[in-house]
Amino acid sequence: MIKKTKTYRGELIASMEYLAKRKNVIFLGQSVLYSGNAIYNTLETIKKNKKLEMPVMEDTQMGISIGLAMNG
């Protein structure tokens, strides 16, 4: 039996792909749709319609996230 080596990056990508399968999950923030940091690389395989690119406005991102969570 060959043991498959797992990497931290690979596990992050697998986790994002797992979450993306859920109908009520979207990814929002900066560098989710366009490259700019390492986080983008973990979302490369996620469809564009599941990602919402935001400007650097953490308070607004948090407010939107809370509103989305409250709405299901």
Side-chain angles (χ1 to χ4, degrees), residues 40-58:
Y40 171 79
N41 297 325
T42 65
L43 299 172
E44 284 183 306
T45 61
I46 308 302
K47 293 179 181 178
K48 286 184 178 183
N49 67 338
K50 297 288 276 180
K51 299 189 258 184
L52 179 61
E53 185 72 20
M54 303 283 297
V56 180
M57 309 185 317
E58 285 85 359

Side-chain angles (χ1 to χ4, degrees), residues 5-64:
T5 304
K6 294 183 179 186
T7 64
Y8 181 72
R9 181 177 184 267
E11 291 300 310
L12 284 174
I13 292 169
S15 297
M16 297 304 128
E17 290 172 346
Y18 171 79
L19 289 170
K21 290 178 185 175
R22 298 186 61 145
K23 183 178 137 183
N24 64 344
V25 169
I26 63 169
F27 301 88
L28 64 89
Q30 57 266 15
S31 298
V32 296
L33 193 55
Y34 306 104
S35 65
N37 63 31
I39 292 172
Y40 171 79
N41 297 325
T42 65
L43 299 172
E44 284 183 306
T45 61
I46 308 302
K47 293 179 181 178
K48 286 184 178 183
N49 67 338
K50 297 288 276 180
K51 299 189 258 184
L52 179 61
E53 185 72 20
M54 303 283 297
V56 180
M57 309 185 317
E58 285 85 359
D59 290 342
T60 301
Q61 291 176 23
M62 182 59 73
I64 291 171

